[in-house]
């Protein structure tokens, strides 16, 4: 109730608050004069002669006028600072001078020393009332603001601290910093503590959120700080880029949640400019599946290389519209001389592909069109053959026949010894590119194979994020599942650079780092929100935690994915994260004939059995075993 009244007072209009300040100051002037006279005459109840009070007829209006001219009534009480204190001291000094001169000139029975006593009292009373109001406002505001820990007491942390003074959501409770020379000191009454000592303070103040205030360029430091905070059970939020905060382009209210890719990702390797531009700059580049997660990021990255034209082919009208609008906005903002050509159609129609390539004189093709959701593809095998295998075959053959210079297929680690239809059809697509490379040596074909992309439509990350938002449970197929991950921009850049190194049907494999346990991924994603993952499925989940639910491996799902057909059979390239597979496929098949035969089959089991009979490394028995035993 009291806080509501205080907030109501501070929400009054500016003119009303000025009237209150002027009335308060007038009352203080009267009080300070009375008290100064009483102290000088050695008695609070001493009778002051009426002519002495006449001095105030000049002092009160003169003082109010002086304070107004000095800007005291323009300053906001809640933000009173050194400048306001200086104004009060100067105003009180001038007010004392008016009192002294008036009383002496008109002989108004006011002792000379009263002016000095009055000055001291006026500074204390007018400054004190404002300081009191500021303290009351801060206390009322702090009651509604969540206490936070700021990790980093350097320049970025101090800037964040100043920004928090205007925040309605957060108040700093402590700083955490690894610099021992800062420990035991304060920034604006906020203590700087080492990590170990901070644990007790976090518990005492019921801190639930940590703000990371480490420079934009220190990615390793930001990641380590975030990990430390998640281990304490705190929700981690990142401050905006320092340059944006200083310039005023963003406010502290734009603090964002830490992304899981920032926690799991490697330190980025700067792309090779020569490789990025070789197959894109000033060229006509076509991306199939341009509206998908990988295809759209390829379009973004290609646009930055300033091609002559980007031909975007997709069967989804909505997805194609979105990426076209996005790129159009970027082109207008930067005044790029790049033509966008959206093509609505399917890669399974040769006439659509031919028109798109011929009408736009396409030099480079990135083939990202694919059905990739394992459970859906497992239930729709014929459509997977049509889109993944036939679509790739038609696009690659047409590219070679029409003289396209570079062709890159985006494949997957699931194509290596596949245990599902999706992987088998993508392996068939790889063979289709290999066959096209033999038939059309004038086109530099390649296949690019990598694992899961964080945040893509087929990734587990968006699914976990949704489940966490809804309070759980998080569903996991198997506690021992591991996957390779990389970020979408990183994957797109490596695809573009791989195409520049292609010679004749090369298969490029990315250095994906170490495989990540999906259970650990789920645990870290929960930790980022300050809510622990409850992994003991035999016990009731504590309040505030996210429950884990094991659902069992899905049809065709592996416990662990692979990137190489033959372990260790690869060489390096001029890019440190791209390897070239050494593998000679002695089992040559007629890809077109096999695809045609598959498309004539209507029974799901017949399609699966026929796929397993092809030299793709796919076995129905192994797929079933992988599902039931995790082997």
């Amino acid at each position: 109730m009291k806080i509501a009244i205080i907030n109501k007072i501070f929400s009054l209009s500016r003119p009303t608050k000025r009237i209150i300040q002027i009335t308060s100051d007038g009352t203080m002037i009267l009080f300070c004069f009375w008290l100064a006279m009483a102290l000088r005459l050695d008695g609070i109840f001493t009778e002051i002669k009426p002519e002495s009070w006449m001095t105030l007829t000049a002092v009160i209006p003169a003082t109010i006028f002086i304070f107004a001219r000095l800007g005291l009534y323009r300053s906001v009480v809640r933000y009173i600072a050194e400048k306001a204190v200086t104004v009060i001291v100067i105003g009180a000094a001038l007010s004392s001078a008016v009192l002294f001169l008036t009383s002496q000139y008109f002989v108004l029975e006011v002792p000379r020393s009263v002016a000095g006593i009055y000055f001291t009292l006026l500074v204390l009373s007018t400054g004190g009332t404002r300081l009191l109001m500021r303290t009351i406002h801060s206390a009322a505001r702090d009651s509604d603001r969540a206490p936070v820990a700021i990790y980093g007491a350097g320049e970025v942390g101090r800037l964040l601290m100043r920004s928090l003074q205007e925040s309605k959501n957060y108040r700093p409770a402590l700083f955490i910093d690894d610099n021992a020379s800062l420990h035991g000191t304060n920034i604006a009454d906020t203590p700087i503590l080492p990590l170990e000592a901070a644990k007790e303070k976090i518990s005492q103040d019921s801190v639930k959120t940590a703000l990371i205030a480490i420079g934009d360029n220190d990615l390793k430091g930001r990641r380590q700080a975030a990990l430390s905070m998640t281990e304490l059970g705190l929700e981690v939020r990142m401050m905006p880029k320092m340059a944006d905060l200083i310039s005023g382009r963003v406010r502290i209210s734009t603090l964002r949640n830490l992304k899981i890719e920032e926690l799991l990702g490697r330190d980025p390797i700067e792309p090779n400019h020569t490789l990025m531009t070789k197959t894109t700059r000033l060229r006509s580049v076509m991306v199939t599946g341009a509206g998908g997660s990988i295809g759209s990021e390829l379009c973004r990255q290609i646009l930055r290389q300033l091609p002559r034209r980007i031909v975007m082919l997709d069967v989804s009208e909505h997805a194609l519209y979105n990426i076209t609008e996005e790129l159009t906005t970027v082109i207008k903002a930067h005044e790029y001389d790049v033509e966008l050509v959206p093509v609505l159609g399917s890669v399974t129609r040769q006439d659509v592909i031919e028109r798109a390539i011929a009408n736009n004189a396409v030099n480079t093709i990135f083939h990202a069109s694919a059905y990739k959701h394992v459970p859906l593809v497992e239930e729709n095998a014929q459509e997977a053959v049509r889109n993944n295998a036939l679509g790739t075959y038609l696009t690659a053959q047409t590219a070679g026949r029409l003289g396209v210079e570079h062709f890159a297929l985006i494949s997957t680690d699931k194509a290596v010894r596949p245990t599902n239809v999706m992987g088998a059809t993508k392996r068939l697509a790889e063979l289709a590119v290999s066959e096209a490379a033999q038939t059309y040596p004038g086109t530099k074909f390649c296949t690019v194979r990598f694992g899961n992309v964080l945040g893509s439509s087929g990734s587990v990350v968006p699914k976990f994020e949704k489940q966490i938002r809804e309070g759980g449970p998080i569903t996991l197929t198997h506690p021992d599942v591991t996957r390779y991950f990389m970020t979408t921009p990183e994957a797109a850049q490596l695809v573009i650079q791989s195409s520049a190194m292609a010679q004749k049907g090369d298969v490029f494999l990315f250095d994906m780092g170490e495989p990540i346990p999906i259970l650990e991924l789920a645990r870290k994603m929960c930790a980022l929100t300050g809510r622990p993952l409850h992994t003991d499925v035999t016990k009731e989940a504590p309040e505030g935690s996210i429950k884990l639910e094991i659902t069992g491996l899905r049809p065709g799902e592996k416990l662990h994915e692979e990137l190489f057909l033959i372990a260790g059979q690869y060489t390096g390239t001029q890019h440190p994260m791209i390897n070239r597979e050494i593998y000679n496929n002695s089992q040559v098949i007629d890809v077109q004939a096999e695809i045609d035969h598959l498309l004539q089959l209507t029974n799901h089991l017949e399609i699966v059995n026929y796929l397993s009979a092809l030299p793709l490394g796919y076995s129905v028995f192994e797929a079933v075993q992988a599902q039931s035993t995790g082997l």
Side-chain angles (χ1 to χ4, degrees):
M1 181 66 179
K2 293 179 180 178
I3 292 174
I5 294 172
I6 293 170
N7 290 333
K8 188 173 182 179
I9 292 172
F10 277 94
S11 64
L12 293 172
S13 65
R14 294 286 297 154
T16 302
K17 285 189 278 191
R18 286 195 185 99
I19 292 171
I20 292 173
Q21 288 187 69
I22 291 171
T23 303
S24 173
D25 288 343
T27 304
M28 287 299 160
I29 293 168
L30 188 151
F31 171 76
C32 291
F33 175 76
W34 167 78
L35 187 56
M37 289 288 288
L39 292 173
R40 172 64 181 80
L41 298 175
D42 299 324
I44 293 177
F45 299 105
T46 301
E47 185 177 342
I48 302 173
K49 296 180 179 181
E51 55 265 32
S52 300
W53 290 106
M54 294 294 292
T55 309
L56 295 179
T57 59
V59 173
I60 291 177
T63 304
I64 298 300
F65 176 77
I66 290 167
F67 280 158
R69 292 293 295 175
L70 290 174
L72 183 61
Y73 302 125
R74 290 196 301 271
S75 63
V76 181
V77 172
R78 71 187 74 171
Y79 302 132
I80 187 170
E82 293 179 7
K83 184 178 180 181
V85 173
T86 302
V87 166
I88 290 170
V89 171
I90 294 173
L94 293 174
S95 177
S96 300
V98 171
L99 186 152
F100 178 80
L101 294 173
T102 302
S103 62
Q104 296 304 308
Y105 183 80
F106 292 104
V107 192
L108 298 176
E109 297 289 333
V110 177
R112 293 181 179 182
S113 58
V114 166
I117 301 172
Y118 166 80
F119 165 76
T120 302
L121 293 173
L122 188 60
V123 169
L124 292 175
S125 60
T126 54
T129 53
R130 285 167 169 79
L131 184 61
L132 176 63
M133 292 305 293
R134 177 189 178 185
T135 302
I136 292 172
H137 177 269
S138 296
R141 185 180 60 169
D142 284 351
S143 66
D144 294 329
R145 299 197 300 168
V148 296
I150 301 176
Y151 199 111
E155 182 183 358
V156 181
R158 294 167 193 268
L159 177 63
L160 178 57
M161 177 76 172
R162 289 196 295 272
S163 300
L164 284 175
Q165 292 175 352
E166 300 181 21
S167 170
K168 296 179 180 179
N169 303 317
Y170 305 111
R171 63 174 178 85
L174 72 154
F175 280 94
I176 302 173
D177 202 286
D178 299 328
N179 188 345
S181 64
L182 297 176
H183 298 161
T185 61
N186 296 323
I187 299 177
D189 298 326
T190 303
I192 304 175
L193 304 172
L195 183 60
E196 285 302 315
K199 293 178 181 178
E200 184 178 352
K201 177 73 171 172
I202 287 170
S203 177
Q204 288 176 351
D205 290 7
S206 300
V207 175
K208 303 296 184 185
T209 303
L211 310 181
I212 306 300
I214 296 178
D216 306 334
N217 297 325
D218 187 3
L219 297 178
K220 186 176 181 181
R222 287 161 69 104
R223 189 178 303 134
Q224 186 56 51
L227 284 169
S228 299
M229 294 298 95
T230 58
E231 289 172 1
L232 294 180
L234 300 181
E235 178 185 7
V236 179
R237 308 204 75 191
M238 306 295 289
M239 70 175 292
K241 287 187 177 180
M242 189 173 178
D244 290 340
L245 200 59
I246 293 172
S247 67
R249 287 193 294 269
V250 295
R251 297 184 179 276
I252 205 66
S253 57
T254 61
L255 280 164
R256 62 174 177 81
N257 290 328
L258 184 72
K259 298 175 182 176
I260 187 63
E261 49 261 46
E262 294 176 285
L263 206 56
L264 296 175
R266 301 175 291 269
D267 290 337
I269 294 179
E270 285 296 315
N272 184 313
H273 179 71
T274 301
L275 294 179
M276 288 292 291
T277 57
K278 183 177 178 181
T279 62
T280 57
R281 187 170 178 81
L282 298 177
R283 292 170 179 262
S284 179
V285 184
M286 182 166 118
V287 179
T288 68
S293 49
I294 298 297
S296 60
E297 184 61 31
L298 277 169
C299 291
R300 296 182 193 102
Q301 296 289 341
I302 291 166
L303 179 59
R304 292 173 189 166
Q305 314 314 315
L306 300 180
R308 183 174 77 256
R309 179 184 299 116
I310 302 179
V311 182
M312 300 170 293
L313 190 151
D314 203 293
V315 74
S316 168
E317 180 187 32
H318 179 69
L320 187 60
Y321 173 80
N322 285 341
I323 188 61
T324 303
E325 287 294 294
E326 178 186 333
L327 297 190
T328 299
T329 301
V330 174
I331 289 172
K332 289 180 178 178
H334 295 277
E335 298 182 349
Y336 290 155
D337 184 18
V338 179
E339 179 187 1
L340 293 182
V341 181
V343 178
L344 187 61
S346 171
V347 292
T348 62
R349 285 186 53 184
Q350 187 168 341
D351 59 327
V352 171
I353 302 168
E354 285 183 351
R355 283 197 302 271
I357 295 174
N359 292 349
N360 296 287
V362 171
N363 305 110
T364 304
I365 294 177
F366 294 98
H367 184 58
S369 175
Y371 290 148
K372 58 186 179 181
H373 292 270
V374 171
L376 285 177
V377 172
E378 202 67 21
E379 296 298 323
N380 297 273
Q382 189 176 67
E383 286 307 307
V385 172
R386 190 185 310 280
N387 191 73
N388 294 358
L390 177 63
T392 302
Y393 177 82
L394 292 177
T395 307
Q397 289 288 325
T398 306
R401 182 163 45 80
L402 295 181
V404 172
E405 298 170 21
H406 292 86
F407 181 100
L409 164 68
I410 286 77
S411 190
T412 170
D413 53 4
K414 293 176 177 61
V416 179
R417 278 180 282 277
T419 59
N420 49 59
V421 172
M422 185 272 199
T425 55
K426 289 298 285 185
R427 178 58 187 148
L428 191 54
E430 290 184 1
L431 295 179
V433 172
S434 178
E435 181 179 293
Q438 300 296 323
T439 306
Y440 300 103
T443 299
K444 295 180 178 179
F445 288 92
C446 73
T447 291
V448 182
R449 190 188 295 150
F450 52 91
N452 297 271
V453 176
L454 287 165
S456 70
S457 61
S459 169
V460 72
V461 171
K463 178 183 176 182
F464 282 175
E465 287 176 341
K466 181 175 182 293
Q467 290 174 336
I468 292 170
R469 283 196 305 269
E470 294 173 350
I474 278 185
T475 55
L476 184 64
T477 59
H478 194 287
D480 297 328
V481 168
T482 65
R483 291 291 182 265
Y484 291 100
F485 284 100
M486 64 174 20
T487 65
T488 311
E490 186 179 32
Q493 289 173 4
L494 292 177
V495 167
I496 294 170
Q497 292 172 94
S498 296
S499 71
M501 296 186 289
Q503 293 301 320
K504 189 176 181 181
D506 296 299
V507 175
F508 292 105
L509 312 125
F510 297 165
D511 179 359
M512 302 286 292
E514 294 298 318
I516 296 171
I518 302 301
L519 179 58
E520 184 63 23
L521 174 69
R523 184 179 285 112
K524 287 182 177 179
M525 289 184 68
C526 289
L528 288 179
T529 65
R531 304 177 67 182
L533 178 66
H534 179 68
T535 56
D536 189 346
V537 296
T538 64
K539 295 181 180 180
E540 188 70 25
E543 185 177 354
S545 65
I546 301 292
K547 183 181 178 181
L548 175 69
E549 185 177 296
I550 303 298
T551 60
L553 287 172
R554 300 172 299 183
E557 183 180 11
K558 284 183 181 180
L559 268 183
H560 314 292
E561 300 288 3
E562 305 168 89
L563 286 170
F564 304 98
L565 288 175
I566 302 176
Q569 294 297 300
Y570 62 91
T571 61
T573 65
Q574 63 193 89
H575 193 287
M577 288 183 66
I578 303 176
N579 298 305
R580 180 184 279 108
E581 185 177 59
I582 303 173
Y583 174 68
N584 292 317
N585 181 22
S586 58
Q587 293 178 295
V588 179
I589 64 173
D590 186 336
V591 177
Q592 182 179 15
E594 301 297 358
I595 292 174
D596 287 343
H597 182 81
L598 281 164
L599 292 177
Q600 291 174 11
L601 302 176
T602 56
N603 181 277
H604 176 84
L605 186 59
E606 288 180 346
I607 296 173
V608 171
N609 287 333
Y610 194 85
L611 280 170
S612 67
L614 295 174
L616 307 175
Y618 171 58
S619 169
V620 178
F621 173 76
E622 289 179 2
V624 172
Q625 287 293 100
Q627 180 189 354
S628 60
T629 67
L631 297 177

